Amino acid sequence: MNHDDRRTAGFKQRTRLSDARESLLAAATPHDRTVRRPLAEADGRALAEDAVAPTDVPGYDRAAMDGYAVRASDTFGASGRSPNVLRIVDGPVEPGTAARVHTGSDVPDGADAVVMVEHTERLGDELEVFDALAEGENVGERGEDVREGTPLFEAGHELRPSDIGLLRSVGVEEVTVFERPRVAVVPTGEELVEADPGPGEVIETNGLTVSRLVERWGGEASYRDIVVDDADLLREAVESDLDHDVVVTTGGSSVGERDLIPEVVDDIGEVLVHGVALKPGHPVAVGVVEDTPVVMLPGYPVACVVNAFQFLRPVLKRVGSLPERPLPTQEATLTRKIPSSPGTRTFARVRLDTSGDEPTAEPTRTSGSGILSSVALADGWVVVPEEIEGYDEGDTVAVEGWEWSA
């Protein structure tokens, strides 16, 4: 379809969301760039190679309690009425002796159990033991936590703070991780200004919002200057950032006279999908130029955010070898009806109220894709599938959180 035909036809035929996303991901290839990073800088990074424990943790038999290291056989028959008496020593534990230990300290040679301090009484250099122990009691064996050679994490695992603590515990100081995927964010529009808008002008927010989402999702954003609605300038902007893993534009993705970015991308590459059956934000487009995925987000702020979650987030995770985890979800009862058109997936913004016995979700808007405050003041959205005509008041629904944190 040529450009004039596309504008005439509008979006009479829209691609199903799942199919559009699949087309984009099929055109995305994970990069293979890696870098060594200290553990303190590895949080949220994807491992580029398997992590295996290089040593035992703990690397020695350790006391699990404050008390005295003993030979278990020396405690047999001990009781509150008839304690066994041992001699206190500082070195190795020999028959008939005991050595003071603290939780986590090394168990001396010769000892095979630890009697808790509250089950003893010290009398000078002698120790009365009131508890009979089994071999190994109150002792953490070498390798009890992690054995040398144990596989810890596979390549592609996204490191969490607890993972970093585990790696440090086995003596790892640096890891090989994939570089963060590089994403060029290009805001477009004749009407955009950085500050002090006049009549017909608006402050640029979409590019800033998207660039921050990229960082939260594990990417590295290059937030570009505004590009006006000029085909040559748009082409130059896209081509100059093809060294990035993903190029994302905001605005100019519909079928109006000034919506030029899909045509530009189709001229220098291929538009895979233009027009998706979702609301808000059906004018989204995705394509590829010289093997670089290009995501063309609508200019209305809410539509921009919705489509960033639906397209930019998964493709960023794909190229960066990062796992795409489900968004945080909470069930709630609707306080009002949410309408939807069959065949379209609707994202209805809601505000959660968890103060009562059961959480409730109050729809703030199902339309109005230009109302940015409806995102900032909502807690998430309810996704209405293509197969149904909305939800009724009182229905139990799943509220997907914004996942503002990565």
Side-chain angles (χ1 to χ4, degrees):
M1 181 183 294
N2 63 39
H3 304 327
D4 292 335
D5 290 339
R6 178 178 59 82
R7 288 194 170 124
T8 300
F11 292 111
K12 292 179 180 178
Q13 292 185 338
R14 301 175 187 175
T15 304
R16 190 180 179 91
L17 174 58
S18 57
D19 294 337
R21 190 158 45 209
E22 184 177 337
S23 296
L24 174 64
L25 295 179
T29 302
H31 73 69
D32 57 2
R33 304 185 306 273
T34 63
V35 63
R36 292 285 290 177
R37 282 287 180 267
L39 281 181
E41 300 175 14
D43 184 27
R45 305 293 290 266
L47 285 172
E49 56 188 25
D50 294 348
V52 177
T55 187
D56 290 332
V57 177
Y60 54 88
D61 290 344
R62 61 184 175 183
M65 298 286 179
D66 287 345
Y68 291 86
V70 298
R71 290 174 178 258
S73 59
D74 285 339
T75 70
F76 293 168
S79 68
R81 292 184 176 182
S82 178
N84 289 6
V85 179
L86 304 177
R87 182 168 53 88
I88 299 174
V89 296
D90 290 331
V93 174
E94 298 177 348
T97 66
R100 186 74 166 95
V101 291
H102 302 280
T103 301
S105 64
D106 189 8
V107 174
D109 290 341
D112 57 17
V114 172
V115 59
M116 291 188 289
V117 68
E118 55 264 41
H119 293 161
T120 66
E121 183 174 347
R122 181 167 182 165
L123 302 172
D125 292 335
E126 292 186 332
L127 183 74
E128 291 186 336
V129 178
F130 302 100
D131 187 27
L133 303 177
E135 184 177 337
E137 192 165 346
N138 298 326
V139 173
E141 294 183 352
R142 178 188 179 100
E144 180 183 47
D145 193 351
V146 180
R147 289 286 184 186
E148 179 182 353
T150 299
L152 300 178
F153 307 109
E154 295 182 348
H157 177 78
E158 186 176 6
L159 291 173
R160 303 161 298 179
S162 58
D163 303 334
I164 290 172
L166 176 59
L167 290 170
R168 181 68 179 274
S169 76
V170 298
V172 174
E173 296 294 337
E174 291 185 335
V175 288
T176 301
V177 295
F178 288 106
E179 286 188 4
R180 296 187 187 277
R182 301 173 59 233
V183 180
V185 182
V186 184
T188 77
E190 206 74 45
E191 74 285 2
L192 300 182
V193 294
E194 296 293 349
D196 302 321
E201 296 178 334
V202 295
I203 294 177
E204 199 293 304
T205 60
N206 286 337
L208 177 61
T209 300
V210 169
S211 66
R212 295 309 88 199
L213 286 173
V214 166
E215 297 284 341
R216 295 250 179 165
W217 292 335
E220 183 179 296
S222 300
Y223 178 29
R224 301 308 191 196
D225 292 334
I226 297 166
V227 181
V228 297
D229 299 316
D230 177 275
D232 291 335
L233 294 177
L234 291 169
R235 174 174 181 155
E236 180 182 343
V238 172
E239 290 182 330
S240 67
D241 278 324
L242 293 178
D243 58 340
H244 287 63
D245 298 300
V246 180
V247 174
V248 55
T249 64
T250 64
S253 68
S254 191
V255 292
E257 290 298 326
R258 290 165 58 180
D259 293 305
L260 303 177
I261 191 65
E263 297 175 9
V264 169
V265 170
D266 213 30
D267 285 340
I268 61 178
E270 180 184 4
V271 170
L272 303 172
V273 174
H274 189 197
V276 178
L278 82 166
K279 180 183 179 181
H282 69 268
V284 65
V286 296
V288 60
V289 179
E290 296 182 13
D291 297 325
T292 300
V294 181
V295 180
M296 294 158 273
L297 300 175
Y300 281 126
V302 182
C304 180
V305 169
V306 168
N307 280 287
F309 272 81
Q310 301 309 310
F311 292 100
L312 179 57
R313 181 177 182 267
V315 77
L316 182 155
K317 300 289 187 179
R318 170 68 62 86
V319 299
S321 296
L322 293 164
E324 186 184 3
R325 298 190 180 92
L327 295 174
T329 302
Q330 180 173 349
E331 286 194 344
T333 302
L334 272 181
T335 61
R336 287 191 289 110
K337 177 182 175 67
I338 294 178
S340 181
S341 301
T344 297
R345 187 173 301 188
T346 297
F347 295 81
R349 287 141 274 168
V350 298
R351 184 178 291 111
L352 276 172
D353 183 354
T354 58
S355 61
D357 294 335
E358 295 183 358
T360 60
E362 179 185 1
T364 57
R365 281 184 178 268
T366 56
S367 60
S369 60
I371 311 299
L372 182 56
S373 62
S374 68
V375 171
L377 300 178
D379 297 303
W381 53 49
V382 172
V383 181
V384 184
E386 292 89 340
E387 295 78 15
I388 65 175
E389 296 185 27
Y391 290 113
D392 292 326
E393 178 182 342
D395 282 351
T396 299
V397 294
V399 179
E400 288 188 355
W402 297 124
E403 192 214 41
W404 295 133
S405 59

